[in-house]
Amino acid sequence: VVCGHSLGGGVAAILSLMLRPSFPGLHCFAYEPPGCIFSTELTRISRDFITSFVRQDDVIPRLSYHNFERVRDSFFDVFCRIKVPKIHLFFDLRRPCADRFLEVRNAMVLRPHDAIPKDTSFYATLEEFRAERAAKNSKGVNVVQLHVPGRIIHLIDSNNSGLYHAYWAKQDDFNTVEISSRMLSDHDIHCLPDVLSNIKFGDVNRVSLGFANAPLIYTDDEDEADTDARLFVCCLNPYGRLPVLLLLACLVASFLHAYAIGGCDFVDTSFSYSH
């Protein structure tokens, strides 16, 4: 079993992809990995052995080039819709507003989408900029869409009670960055064990967290069944070739060091004592 959180989850996914041919029973659990890890094809291949967990509005699994392009475009759209002086809007945004009044408040400061004035110099410059970016994004590496690896379990806290429901999600569900007050706190690793241990499963949204040749994440108080699971930790893998290769590399490095010291003209290896 290979597992990791955040950047470690991305490393675990890449390592699993490399080790999979040698260990067919391998399975990876990536907790809240970055959303810029695998291409569409690699995501399809990794669905059989990688499971990713994403919590609510966590921004890290939504980190990708194309997602931030969409955030920038959305910002410019809102900027064009502002119909009041910007200084008035600045002070207005500093005042709290309840959700039930948000629609009325937005209508007071924003135009409808179809009422954006298109005869301004700003709008002309914006359209030129968007055309330039679209041309660059249509070729080269920017064409490649990157996603969260493997199959995705999305943990949703619908009523902010701390009790999460688990759903199978699609890669396209994370093609937008959710701007919310919890977009950063949802990535916190300290409360993740409690979140996972208190997941609520229903008949419709039930997901299976047990895999062949991998231990069960959720178990009862009964004795755990024996599983053919191996934990990959650097320099601590009795079943792989990594420790042997590291040992050989150390021996070769020691030999080369001794040989270099013995044949170096700048190092005096003789010692003399004067009385």
Side-chain angles (χ1 to χ4, degrees), residues 104-136:
V104 176
R105 182 182 185 180
N106 288 343
M108 295 174 58
V109 298
L110 298 177
R111 301 182 180 92
H113 283 281
D114 54 1
I116 296 177
K118 300 181 179 180
D119 56 350
T120 63
S121 59
F122 174 79
Y123 189 83
T125 303
L126 178 59
E127 288 298 297
E128 182 180 351
F129 171 76
R130 285 176 170 173
E132 176 188 353
R133 296 306 307 168
K136 289 184 177 181

Coordinates of all heavy atoms in Angstrom, one line a residue, residues 104-136:
V104 N -29.9 40.3 -3.5 CA -30.4 41.7 -3.6 C -29.2 42.6 -3.6 O -29.1 43.6 -4.3 CB -31.3 42.0 -2.4 CG1 -31.7 43.5 -2.4 CG2 -32.5 41.2 -2.4
R105 N -28.2 42.3 -2.7 CA -27.0 43.1 -2.7 C -26.2 43.1 -4.0 O -25.7 44.1 -4.5 CB -26.1 42.6 -1.5 CG -24.8 43.4 -1.3 CD -24.0 42.7 -0.2 NE -22.8 43.5 0.1 CZ -22.0 43.2 1.1 NH1 -22.2 42.1 1.8 NH2 -20.9 43.9 1.4
N106 N -26.1 41.9 -4.6 CA -25.4 41.8 -5.9 C -26.1 42.6 -7.0 O -25.5 43.2 -7.8 CB -25.2 40.3 -6.3 CG -24.2 39.6 -5.5 OD1 -23.4 40.2 -4.8 ND2 -24.3 38.3 -5.5
A107 N -27.4 42.6 -6.9 CA -28.2 43.3 -8.0 C -28.0 44.8 -7.8 O -28.1 45.5 -8.8 CB -29.7 43.0 -7.8
M108 N -27.6 45.3 -6.7 CA -27.4 46.7 -6.5 C -26.1 47.2 -7.0 O -25.9 48.4 -7.3 CB -27.5 47.1 -5.0 CG -28.9 46.8 -4.3 SD -28.9 47.1 -2.5 CE -28.3 48.8 -2.4
V109 N -25.1 46.3 -7.1 CA -23.7 46.7 -7.5 C -23.3 46.1 -8.9 O -22.3 46.5 -9.5 CB -22.7 46.3 -6.5 CG1 -23.0 47.1 -5.2 CG2 -22.7 44.8 -6.2
L110 N -24.0 45.0 -9.4 CA -23.6 44.4 -10.6 C -24.7 44.4 -11.6 O -25.9 44.3 -11.4 CB -23.3 42.9 -10.3 CG -22.2 42.6 -9.3 CD1 -22.1 41.1 -9.1 CD2 -20.9 43.1 -9.8
R111 N -24.2 44.5 -12.9 CA -25.1 44.5 -14.0 C -25.4 43.0 -14.4 O -24.6 42.1 -14.1 CB -24.5 45.2 -15.3 CG -24.1 46.6 -15.1 CD -23.5 47.1 -16.4 NE -23.1 48.5 -16.3 CZ -21.9 48.9 -16.0 NH1 -21.0 48.0 -15.7 NH2 -21.6 50.2 -16.0
P112 N -26.5 42.8 -15.1 CA -26.7 41.4 -15.7 C -25.6 41.1 -16.7 O -25.0 42.0 -17.3 CB -28.1 41.5 -16.3 CG -28.7 42.6 -15.6 CD -27.7 43.6 -15.3
H113 N -25.4 39.9 -17.0 CA -24.4 39.5 -18.0 C -24.6 40.1 -19.3 O -23.7 40.5 -20.0 CB -24.3 37.9 -18.1 CG -23.6 37.3 -16.9 ND1 -22.2 37.2 -16.8 CD2 -24.1 36.7 -15.8 CE1 -21.9 36.6 -15.7 NE2 -23.0 36.2 -15.1
D114 N -25.9 40.1 -19.7 CA -26.2 40.6 -21.1 C -26.2 42.1 -21.2 O -26.5 42.7 -22.2 CB -27.5 40.1 -21.6 CG -28.7 40.3 -20.6 OD1 -28.4 41.0 -19.5 OD2 -29.8 39.9 -20.8
A115 N -25.9 42.8 -20.0 CA -25.9 44.3 -20.0 C -24.5 44.9 -19.9 O -24.4 46.1 -19.6 CB -26.8 44.8 -18.9
I116 N -23.5 44.0 -20.1 CA -22.1 44.5 -20.0 C -21.8 45.5 -21.2 O -22.0 45.1 -22.3 CB -21.1 43.4 -20.0 CG1 -21.3 42.5 -18.7 CG2 -19.7 43.9 -20.0 CD1 -20.4 41.3 -18.7
P117 N -21.4 46.7 -20.9 CA -21.1 47.6 -22.1 C -19.9 47.1 -22.8 O -18.8 46.8 -22.3 CB -20.8 48.9 -21.4 CG -20.4 48.6 -20.0 CD -21.2 47.3 -19.6
K118 N -20.0 47.0 -24.1 CA -19.0 46.4 -25.0 C -18.3 47.5 -25.8 O -17.4 47.1 -26.7 CB -19.5 45.3 -25.9 CG -20.2 44.2 -25.1 CD -20.7 43.1 -26.0 CE -21.3 41.9 -25.2 NZ -21.8 40.9 -26.1
D119 N -18.6 48.7 -25.6 CA -18.0 49.8 -26.4 C -16.9 50.6 -25.6 O -16.5 51.7 -26.0 CB -19.1 50.8 -26.9 CG -19.9 51.3 -25.7 OD1 -19.7 50.8 -24.6 OD2 -20.7 52.3 -25.9
T120 N -16.4 50.0 -24.5 CA -15.4 50.6 -23.8 C -14.0 50.1 -24.2 O -13.9 49.0 -24.7 CB -15.6 50.4 -22.3 OG1 -15.5 49.0 -22.0 CG2 -17.0 50.9 -21.8
S121 N -13.0 50.9 -23.9 CA -11.6 50.5 -24.2 C -11.2 49.4 -23.3 O -10.4 48.5 -23.8 CB -10.7 51.7 -24.0 OG -10.8 52.2 -22.6
F122 N -11.7 49.3 -22.1 CA -11.3 48.2 -21.2 C -11.8 46.9 -21.8 O -11.1 45.9 -21.8 CB -11.9 48.4 -19.8 CG -11.7 47.2 -18.9 CD1 -10.5 47.0 -18.3 CD2 -12.7 46.3 -18.6 CE1 -10.3 45.9 -17.4 CE2 -12.5 45.2 -17.8 CZ -11.3 45.1 -17.2
Y123 N -13.1 46.9 -22.2 CA -13.7 45.6 -22.8 C -12.9 45.2 -24.1 O -12.7 44.0 -24.3 CB -15.1 45.8 -23.1 CG -15.9 44.6 -23.5 CD1 -16.3 43.7 -22.5 CD2 -16.0 44.2 -24.8 CE1 -17.0 42.5 -22.8 CE2 -16.7 43.0 -25.1 CZ -17.2 42.2 -24.1 OH -17.8 41.0 -24.5
A124 N -12.5 46.2 -24.9 CA -11.8 45.9 -26.1 C -10.4 45.3 -25.8 O -10.0 44.3 -26.4 CB -11.6 47.1 -27.0
T125 N -9.7 45.8 -24.8 CA -8.5 45.3 -24.3 C -8.6 43.9 -23.7 O -7.8 43.0 -24.0 CB -7.8 46.2 -23.3 OG1 -7.7 47.5 -23.9 CG2 -6.4 45.7 -22.9
L126 N -9.7 43.7 -23.0 CA -10.0 42.4 -22.4 C -10.2 41.3 -23.4 O -9.7 40.2 -23.3 CB -11.2 42.5 -21.4 CG -11.6 41.2 -20.7 CD1 -10.5 40.6 -19.9 CD2 -12.8 41.5 -19.9
E127 N -11.0 41.6 -24.5 CA -11.2 40.7 -25.5 C -10.0 40.3 -26.3 O -9.7 39.2 -26.7 CB -12.3 41.3 -26.5 CG -13.7 41.3 -25.9 CD -14.2 39.9 -25.6 OE1 -14.3 39.1 -26.5 OE2 -14.4 39.6 -24.4
E128 N -9.1 41.3 -26.5 CA -7.8 41.1 -27.1 C -6.9 40.2 -26.3 O -6.3 39.2 -26.8 CB -7.1 42.4 -27.4 CG -5.8 42.3 -28.1 CD -5.1 43.6 -28.4 OE1 -5.7 44.6 -28.1 OE2 -3.9 43.6 -28.8
F129 N -6.9 40.4 -25.0 CA -6.2 39.5 -24.1 C -6.7 38.1 -24.1 O -5.9 37.1 -24.1 CB -6.2 40.1 -22.7 CG -5.6 39.2 -21.6 CD1 -4.3 39.1 -21.5 CD2 -6.5 38.5 -20.8 CE1 -3.7 38.3 -20.5 CE2 -6.0 37.7 -19.8 CZ -4.6 37.6 -19.6
R130 N -8.0 37.9 -24.1 CA -8.6 36.6 -24.1 C -8.3 35.9 -25.3 O -8.0 34.7 -25.3 CB -10.1 36.7 -23.8 CG -10.5 37.0 -22.4 CD -12.0 37.2 -22.2 NE -12.4 37.3 -20.8 CZ -13.6 37.6 -20.4 NH1 -14.5 37.9 -21.3 NH2 -13.8 37.6 -19.1
A131 N -8.3 36.6 -26.5 CA -8.0 35.9 -27.7 C -6.5 35.5 -27.8 O -6.2 34.4 -28.3 CB -8.3 36.9 -28.9
E132 N -5.7 36.3 -27.2 CA -4.2 35.9 -27.1 C -4.0 34.7 -26.3 O -3.3 33.7 -26.6 CB -3.4 37.1 -26.6 CG -1.9 36.7 -26.4 CD -1.2 37.9 -25.7 OE1 -1.8 38.9 -25.5 OE2 0.0 37.6 -25.3
R133 N -4.7 34.6 -25.1 CA -4.6 33.5 -24.2 C -5.2 32.2 -24.8 O -4.6 31.1 -24.7 CB -5.3 33.8 -22.9 CG -4.7 34.9 -22.1 CD -3.2 34.7 -21.8 NE -2.9 33.4 -21.2 CZ -1.7 32.9 -21.1 NH1 -0.7 33.5 -21.6 NH2 -1.5 31.7 -20.6
A134 N -6.3 32.4 -25.5 CA -6.9 31.2 -26.2 C -6.0 30.6 -27.3 O -5.9 29.4 -27.4 CB -8.3 31.6 -26.8
A135 N -5.3 31.5 -28.0 CA -4.4 31.0 -29.0 C -3.2 30.3 -28.4 O -2.8 29.2 -28.9 CB -3.9 32.2 -29.8
K136 N -2.7 30.8 -27.2 CA -1.6 30.1 -26.6 C -2.0 28.8 -26.0 O -1.2 27.8 -25.9 CB -1.0 31.0 -25.5 CG -0.2 32.2 -26.1 CD 0.5 33.0 -25.0 CE 1.3 34.1 -25.5 NZ 2.0 34.9 -24.5

